[in-house]
Amino acid sequence: MATLIHTLADHSDDVNYCAFSSSCLATCSLDKTIRVYSLSDFTELPYSPLKGHTYAVHCCCFSPSGRVLASCSTDGTTALWDARDGRRLAVLEQPRASPVRVCRFSPEATYLLSGAADGSVVLWNVQSLKLYRSGNVKGGSLVACAFSPNGNFFVTGSSSGDLTIWDDKMRCLCNEKAHDLGVTCCDISSHPVSDSENGFKYFQMASCGQDNQIKLWLILFADFLGVELKYKCTLNGHSAPVLACAFSCDGQMIVSGSVDKCVIIYETSTGNTLHTLSQHTRYVTTCAFAPHSPLLATGSMDKTVHIWQLDLRQPCAGDTVENESKVAVEDWSEDDVSAWLCAQDLADFVGLFKMNNIDGKELLNLTKESLANELKIESLGQRSKVLQKIEELRMTMISVSVPVPDEFLCPITRELMNDPVIAADGYSYEREAMENWISSRRSSPMTNLPLHSLMLTPNRTLKMAISRWLETQQK
């Protein structure tokens, strides 16, 4: 069984990542902060939250000893913090100041790896805090990374769908097209799963992507023979892009989180589903097992982090939290609609919707005219709020059923654009995201070059294309 024992709800925006040490849990968010909690009672440490990044914090990780915490951000930096008192120890600037998407310590804490939106990957010497080596992936942003157990090799994943294996001299040893629509996360188990005929140890790697899949791979790391990568199998179960995956400390389980709002725990050896956890209300963006206790943390765009207690003695295949079943919105009953209204802070409308027999199909067909003329909602503000929530619900249905074309996604938020604008760099962005960006800097999010103007021009052609695409998805 997996039991929800605590929920952390201190972040004011999407939770992007969570990471354990032996005694603490760290979380980071679009709200620009990192928060650190004690595992003894899940209280926030006195120095938390950690502030210093000027834009969204995408990733955080502890050094193997747990004494140093690293965080990286859209602001183009990776920060190092003393996990004992919260002091900021260093700020490492990514080459060309590209937004940093991922960071990771090597197993011996010799290096810190940082990967960025422009495809750059940097190995920092942790002792000197100097750049040791740097390289680039081709044709995409670097969004995932994991070190081999001996720290001599590491794997990166890119938005172009490639998994690349490098040595510590930043030489590319192997490249594999793993996920057609882009890699989102990868992890390497520290425990060997088999021995080759020559006695070399194979390790399991998991990768996940925008293609809704989790793939397991076997990797042979041998200093004098190089690297051998073999595809093992695909784990199914998610109905939408998978954003996160991680092995348990003993390598016996793997957990994944998805745009379908579910967390699935698999048995590594068989690929069987042990648990499906359905408590988050928006995309699950991160998941992590604690190293020395039966705890699991999952974070989401619903701004919360759930802490789960795992009963490792009695895994129950197919177990689900509260036996929730995924019911299509158009098949919702009136009671389902009432529950949804309450969850969206629209409880005042429950009686009105019940009186008018609004079920899931009727809910999706509501318009501003029907809200005003049939349901008699007089307040324009209230009608607008209800319509906005219905539109968000429609968007969730679309995102689960079919990948959104990349050109319709804002480069900053990676979400479907509602009000696209063209900036001086020639790229299109969601207006609110770009306005927030230029409020603190004068560079392009895509090229990092100075913007010669801060004027934002509505991209009506793109907006019409997005509207037409949405109409085709709703038919």
Side-chain angles (χ1 to χ4, degrees):
M1 291 292 294
T3 305
L4 181 61
I5 61 172
H6 200 86
T7 296
L8 306 172
D10 298 305
H11 284 294
S12 59
D13 212 328
D14 302 355
V15 175
N16 286 332
Y17 207 82
C18 56
F20 283 100
S21 69
S22 59
S23 60
C24 296
L25 170 67
T27 64
C28 62
S29 166
L30 283 183
D31 66 12
K32 310 176 189 178
T33 69
I34 307 101
R35 293 181 178 271
V36 187
Y37 302 86
S38 168
L39 292 187
S40 60
D41 55 6
F42 304 113
T43 57
E44 195 165 4
L45 298 187
Y47 61 74
S48 180
L50 299 173
K51 299 179 180 180
H53 287 294
T54 57
Y55 212 72
V57 185
H58 290 287
C59 185
C60 59
C61 62
F62 285 99
S63 65
S65 68
R67 295 177 181 175
V68 179
L69 173 65
S71 61
C72 60
S73 166
T74 302
D75 64 16
T77 69
T78 302
L80 297 180
W81 313 82
D82 190 320
R84 295 166 293 187
D85 56 20
R87 287 183 299 115
R88 189 163 65 178
L89 303 173
V91 176
L92 309 175
E93 296 185 1
Q94 195 76 5
R96 298 183 296 279
S98 181
V100 187
R101 300 297 187 190
V102 65
C103 58
R104 194 75 74 245
F105 283 98
S106 64
E108 300 299 326
T110 304
Y111 304 116
L112 173 67
L113 186 153
S114 63
D118 64 356
S120 64
V121 53
V122 174
L123 279 179
W124 303 91
N125 184 298
V126 173
Q127 186 172 4
S128 67
L129 299 176
K130 301 294 185 181
L131 189 151
Y132 171 65
R133 304 278 185 181
S134 64
N136 271 87
V137 298
K138 297 180 180 179
S141 300
L142 199 149
V143 296
C145 66
F147 273 94
S148 65
N150 63 7
N152 293 339
F153 302 90
F154 62 92
V155 178
T156 60
S158 76
S159 60
S160 64
D162 290 346
L163 288 172
T164 305
I165 303 179
W166 313 73
D167 68 9
D168 57 5
K169 302 296 189 296
M170 202 62 77
R171 292 176 295 202
C172 178
L173 305 176
C174 178
N175 192 78
E176 178 81 18
K177 181 63 111 177
H179 296 272
D180 290 338
L181 302 175
V183 175
T184 53
C185 189
C186 63
D187 192 26
I188 297 175
S189 171
S190 59
H191 288 260
V193 294
S194 64
D195 292 324
S196 70
E197 295 178 358
N198 295 320
F200 300 122
K201 293 181 179 179
Y202 281 88
F203 292 90
Q204 268 195 122
M205 177 175 70
S207 65
C208 57
Q210 298 285 352
D211 56 6
N212 305 2
Q213 294 182 340
I214 305 154
K215 293 184 178 180
L216 294 185
W217 310 79
L218 292 176
I219 308 178
L220 169 63
F221 293 111
D223 292 340
F224 55 92
L225 291 179
V227 172
E228 182 182 355
L229 177 64
K230 291 183 178 180
Y231 166 77
K232 181 183 178 185
C233 66
T234 296
L235 303 179
N236 298 308
H238 287 294
S239 60
V242 186
L243 303 182
C245 61
F247 282 101
S248 60
C249 187
D250 59 8
Q252 295 184 18
M253 294 183 292
I254 184 169
V255 62
S256 60
S258 167
V259 168
D260 64 13
K261 308 176 189 175
C262 289
V263 174
I264 300 180
I265 304 175
Y266 301 91
E267 185 178 34
T268 306
S269 59
T270 64
N272 293 335
T273 298
L274 300 177
H275 309 284
T276 299
L277 313 176
S278 308
Q279 293 293 83
H280 284 294
T281 59
R282 294 196 68 195
Y283 303 173
V284 180
T285 54
T286 178
C287 45
F289 287 103
H292 304 301
S293 58
L295 296 177
L296 168 70
T298 60
S300 166
M301 290 173 63
D302 62 15
K303 308 177 188 178
T304 69
V305 176
H306 290 330
I307 311 295
W308 307 84
Q309 179 85 41
L310 302 175
D311 183 355
L312 304 181
R313 295 168 299 175
Q314 296 177 329
C316 181
D319 185 35
T320 61
V321 173
E322 296 183 355
N323 296 317
E324 287 192 19
S325 59
K326 294 183 189 176
V327 179
V329 177
E330 57 265 28
D331 295 329
W332 279 4
S333 66
E334 293 178 23
D335 288 337
D336 291 328
V337 172
S338 297
W340 175 80
L341 287 169
C342 293
Q344 303 303 315
D345 197 24
L346 297 171
D348 292 344
F349 295 102
V350 169
L352 178 63
F353 276 53
K354 273 189 170 292
M355 185 171 63
N356 287 272
N357 305 117
I358 304 297
D359 58 14
K361 187 174 182 180
E362 292 288 337
L363 178 69
L364 294 174
N365 289 328
L366 288 177
T367 64
K368 59 182 179 181
E369 290 79 13
S370 60
L371 289 176
N373 301 329
E374 298 174 20
L375 298 189
K376 307 297 184 184
I377 300 177
E378 297 180 357
S379 167
L380 175 60
Q382 294 284 16
R383 292 200 301 270
S384 298
K385 183 176 180 180
V386 173
L387 281 175
Q388 179 185 351
K389 295 298 183 181
I390 293 174
E391 183 59 29
E392 290 176 0
L393 184 62
R394 293 189 185 115
M395 295 300 301
T396 300
M397 294 170 58
I398 292 170
S399 65
V400 166
S401 61
V402 63
V404 179
D406 194 67
E407 61 269 24
F408 294 168
L409 298 176
C410 171
I412 299 174
T413 66
R414 298 302 296 169
E415 293 186 352
L416 184 67
M417 287 183 278
N418 178 58
D419 185 12
V421 294
I422 304 173
D425 60 1
Y427 292 94
S428 292
Y429 305 90
E430 177 63 29
R431 179 184 293 277
E432 182 180 1
M434 191 58 185
E435 287 176 345
N436 288 338
W437 177 276
I438 60 180
S439 68
S440 60
R441 54 172 64 199
R442 299 293 180 94
S443 62
S444 163
M446 293 296 287
T447 67
N448 291 300
L449 297 175
L451 294 170
H452 61 78
S453 169
L454 299 183
M455 181 179 295
L456 302 177
T457 305
N459 191 337
R460 295 186 176 86
T461 301
L462 180 57
K463 187 169 185 176
M464 290 176 61
I466 293 173
S467 296
R468 287 194 295 269
W469 181 79
L470 287 172
E471 290 173 0
T472 64
Q473 301 305 313
Q474 293 169 2
K475 290 180 180 178

